[in-house]
Amino acid sequence: MGSQVEQLRAWWKEGSVYQVYPASFQDSTGSGVGDLKGIISRVDYLKDLGVDIVWLSPIFQSPQHDMGYDISDYRVIDPPYGDISDVDLLRDKLHERGMKLVLDLVMNHTSDQHEWFKESRKSKDNPYRDWYIWKPPKYDADGNRCPPNNWQSHFQGSAWEYDEATDEYFLRLFCKEQPDLNWENPAVRKAAHDVMRFWLDRGADGFRIDVINFISKDQSFPDSNQQVLRGSEYYACGPRCHEYLKELGAILKEYDAFSVGEMPCVHDERELLKAVAADRGELSMIFHFEFMDVDHGANGKFSPKVWPLSELKTKVNKWQRIMYDNNGWNALYLENHDQPRAVSRFVHDDPENREASAKLIAIFLAFQAGTPFIYQGQEIGMTNVPKEWEMNDYKDIDCLNHWNLYKDSADENTKALLKTEYQKKSRDNARTPMQWDDSPQAGFTTSGTPWMRVNDNYKQINAASQVKAPDSVYHTYRRALEKRKEHKDVFVYGDFELVDEENDKIFAYKRVASNGDAALIVCNFSKSEVAWPSPVKAKEVLVSSDGKKLDHVTGDRIRLAPCEAIALLL
Ligand code: NOJ
């Protein structure tokens, strides 16, 4: 066991990742949009927090229909963010501090303004025609033109867009300005490989890879019988997905580069495991969506669902076991630019419990087996947008497309329910500007008008005040990351064991190293105080969200305040 564990060590297992959403991180010019120079100015903040890998959401040239996930040139930086010399400088600043730079590779689709697509749509015999997925229309019994099949876009409506010039439809699983590339074409795969090499040669240390399990579509393009996200069963981990991932994996290996693939809509965990198992040569780790779907109701994301803690326990335990037992690796995340804020979603963001809840998230996440991902603002416990926001405060295409389906036709009650769900789950929740301090616009921009409204609570929740306060959420993250590294054999390479599985308030787990060293993490997800019968004796309090010392945990019970979390070395 010992030597096997040795072989599996990797730099990206021992580090933690911080995700920057460039538009909302730090504006250095007063344009109202964040930029690379702004990120550079905050590198020391990130170093002090203790993160090791900085992942930038897309910074490439883009018409920004989907916040840069629609790329029109993979080698050019979108001018509002700066230029390529800023990327070089950021890379150097990170590398000087022993940190890594990870870029976002979005190659399931491009922007419709990419030269490849502009060519492709010109004519059926254009050399780039086969770089995208074109199909002739179907016609119904009345002779009406219809899309080639019933697949649905992730952003509402059909996944096919009609193009008059050549009387064909192209596939676009996201918005109509995001045509899907045809990975069946070897020239497309070669182009993706070239983009990877371009950035790896320039010193990038790896990639987060957007919807990477969508790249291989069932070539018979059958109609779907699913109710939600029709068609995804025919392209999520499609027939040639792993073959293509192995090609990417070979390049990543040459550079000892890191990769995390985003993999939504997967129902068979064996597919996910294949993508990350150590002997397969595909990716370092993947983002699965099981925790993200926990509050999605019968009609998808914007329908309500109440979930018990036991559901989260089952899911966490499942993924911890799958990866540990099969030489895979977990990407540990509870937030990103597509998800609401973890403190609002998984615990309690009311004024009495918000701070404790945000600390709980830190401790809960950082000590699990896998690489922790922290999304900008998570480290200070940023929350969802206020309930009072009007629809014109929301900016995200996914949320607005959904609203457009209902705003003129639905009754007032339905509209009110939808607004409740948007405030809980819209991607906008994560995209409000970073709350740096209590100055106007939270120190995000010097201009009066940030591209997106700042969350009203920035005077109470901001980085400057938390860096100064030793018991803040920020310092809870900092300490948790520090302890994770200090006890690497336990927290990075150790086994995971769920404790007190039946308890509906407490989420407790143990981590055990191969040499027997162990730790216990206890998180009170409830709003009530709990006297928890502790099964073990502790040697040291590693992190406590409530300032507990060893004396407080030596009896047979640990008294946990509402939303309190504690990590103990045994
Ligand atoms: C996943 C990205 O995280 C999301 O922001 C984007 O809208 C879609 N993929 C399409 O690229």
Coordinates of all heavy atoms in Angstrom, one line a residue, residues 534-561:
S534 N -18.6 12.1 20.9 CA -17.4 12.0 20.1 C -16.8 10.6 20.2 O -16.6 10.1 21.3 CB -16.3 13.0 20.6 OG -15.1 12.6 20.1
P535 N -16.6 9.9 19.1 CA -16.1 8.5 19.2 C -14.6 8.4 19.5 O -14.1 7.3 19.6 CB -16.4 8.0 17.8 CG -16.4 9.2 16.9 CD -16.7 10.4 17.8
V536 N -13.9 9.4 19.6 CA -12.4 9.3 19.6 C -11.8 10.4 20.5 O -12.5 11.4 20.9 CB -11.8 9.5 18.2 CG1 -12.0 8.3 17.4 CG2 -12.4 10.8 17.6
K537 N -10.5 10.3 20.8 CA -9.8 11.3 21.6 C -9.0 12.1 20.6 O -8.3 11.6 19.8 CB -8.9 10.6 22.6 CG -9.7 9.9 23.7 CD -10.0 11.0 24.9 CE -11.1 10.5 25.7 NZ -12.5 10.7 25.3
A538 N -9.0 13.4 20.8 CA -8.2 14.3 19.9 C -6.9 14.7 20.5 O -6.8 14.8 21.7 CB -9.0 15.5 19.6
K539 N -5.9 14.8 19.6 CA -4.6 15.3 20.1 C -4.4 16.8 19.9 O -3.6 17.5 20.6 CB -3.5 14.6 19.2 CG -3.1 13.3 19.6 CD -1.6 13.0 19.2 CE -1.4 12.6 17.8 NZ -1.1 11.4 17.3
E540 N -5.1 17.3 18.9 CA -4.9 18.7 18.5 C -6.1 19.2 17.8 O -6.7 18.5 17.0 CB -3.6 18.8 17.6 CG -3.2 20.2 17.2 CD -2.1 20.2 16.2 OE1 -1.3 19.2 16.1 OE2 -2.0 21.1 15.4
V541 N -6.4 20.5 18.0 CA -7.5 21.1 17.2 C -6.8 21.8 16.0 O -5.9 22.7 16.2 CB -8.2 22.2 18.0 CG1 -9.2 22.9 17.1 CG2 -8.9 21.6 19.3
L542 N -7.1 21.3 14.8 CA -6.4 21.9 13.7 C -7.0 23.2 13.2 O -6.4 24.2 13.0 CB -6.4 20.9 12.5 CG -5.7 19.6 12.7 CD1 -6.0 18.6 11.6 CD2 -4.2 19.8 12.8
V543 N -8.3 23.2 13.1 CA -9.1 24.4 12.7 C -10.4 24.3 13.4 O -11.1 23.2 13.4 CB -9.4 24.5 11.2 CG1 -9.9 25.9 10.9 CG2 -8.2 24.2 10.4
S544 N -10.9 25.4 14.0 CA -12.2 25.4 14.6 C -12.8 26.7 14.2 O -12.3 27.8 14.3 CB -12.1 25.4 16.2 OG -13.2 25.9 16.7
S545 N -14.1 26.6 13.7 CA -14.8 27.8 13.3 C -15.2 28.6 14.4 O -15.7 29.8 14.3 CB -15.9 27.4 12.4 OG -16.9 26.7 13.1
D546 N -15.2 28.0 15.7 CA -15.7 28.7 16.8 C -14.6 29.0 17.9 O -14.9 29.2 19.0 CB -16.8 27.8 17.4 CG -17.7 28.5 18.4 OD1 -18.1 29.7 18.1 OD2 -18.0 27.9 19.4
G547 N -13.4 28.9 17.5 CA -12.3 29.2 18.4 C -12.1 28.1 19.5 O -11.6 28.4 20.6
K548 N -12.5 26.9 19.3 CA -12.4 25.9 20.3 C -11.0 25.4 20.5 O -10.2 25.4 19.6 CB -13.2 24.7 19.9 CG -14.7 24.9 20.0 CD -15.5 23.7 20.5 CE -16.8 24.0 21.1 NZ -17.7 24.7 20.2
K549 N -10.6 25.2 21.8 CA -9.3 24.6 22.2 C -9.5 23.2 22.5 O -10.6 22.7 22.7 CB -8.8 25.4 23.4 CG -8.7 26.9 23.2 CD -7.4 27.3 22.4 CE -7.4 28.8 22.1 NZ -8.0 29.2 20.9
L550 N -8.3 22.5 22.7 CA -8.4 21.1 23.0 C -9.2 20.7 24.2 O -10.0 19.7 24.2 CB -6.9 20.6 23.2 CG -6.7 19.1 23.1 CD1 -7.2 18.6 21.7 CD2 -5.2 18.7 23.2
D551 N -9.2 21.6 25.3 CA -10.0 21.3 26.5 C -11.5 21.2 26.1 O -12.2 20.4 26.8 CB -10.0 22.5 27.4 CG -8.7 23.0 27.8 OD1 -7.7 22.3 27.5 OD2 -8.6 24.0 28.5
H552 N -11.9 21.9 25.1 CA -13.4 21.9 24.8 C -13.8 20.6 24.1 O -15.0 20.3 24.0 CB -13.7 23.0 23.8 CG -13.4 24.4 24.4 ND1 -12.5 25.2 23.8 CD2 -13.9 25.0 25.4 CE1 -12.5 26.4 24.5 NE2 -13.3 26.2 25.5
V553 N -12.8 19.8 23.7 CA -13.2 18.6 23.0 C -12.7 17.3 23.6 O -12.7 16.2 23.0 CB -12.7 18.6 21.5 CG1 -13.4 19.8 20.8 CG2 -11.2 18.8 21.4
T554 N -12.3 17.4 24.9 CA -11.8 16.2 25.5 C -12.8 15.3 26.2 O -12.6 14.2 26.5 CB -10.6 16.6 26.5 OG1 -11.1 17.7 27.2 CG2 -9.3 16.8 25.8
G555 N -14.0 15.9 26.5 CA -15.0 15.1 27.2 C -15.6 14.0 26.2 O -15.1 13.8 25.1
D556 N -16.7 13.4 26.6 CA -17.3 12.4 25.7 C -18.2 13.0 24.7 O -18.7 12.3 23.8 CB -18.2 11.3 26.4 CG -17.9 11.2 27.9 OD1 -16.7 11.3 28.1 OD2 -18.8 10.9 28.7
R557 N -18.4 14.3 24.8 CA -19.3 14.9 23.8 C -18.6 16.2 23.4 O -18.0 16.9 24.1 CB -20.6 15.3 24.4 CG -21.5 14.1 24.5 CD -22.8 14.4 25.3 NE -23.5 13.1 25.4 CZ -24.4 12.7 24.5 NH1 -24.7 13.4 23.5 NH2 -25.0 11.5 24.6
I558 N -18.8 16.5 22.1 CA -18.3 17.8 21.6 C -19.5 18.7 21.4 O -20.5 18.3 20.7 CB -17.6 17.6 20.2 CG1 -16.5 16.6 20.3 CG2 -17.1 19.0 19.7 CD1 -15.7 16.4 19.0
R559 N -19.5 19.8 22.1 CA -20.7 20.7 22.0 C -20.4 21.6 20.7 O -19.5 22.4 20.7 CB -20.8 21.6 23.2 CG -21.0 20.9 24.5 CD -21.6 21.7 25.6 NE -23.0 21.7 25.6 CZ -23.7 20.6 26.0 NH1 -23.1 19.5 26.3 NH2 -25.0 20.6 26.0
L560 N -21.3 21.5 19.8 CA -21.1 22.3 18.6 C -22.2 23.4 18.5 O -23.4 23.1 18.6 CB -21.2 21.4 17.3 CG -20.1 20.4 17.2 CD1 -20.5 19.1 16.7 CD2 -19.0 21.0 16.3
A561 N -21.8 24.6 18.3 CA -22.7 25.7 18.1 C -23.4 25.6 16.8 O -22.9 24.8 15.9 CB -21.9 27.0 18.2

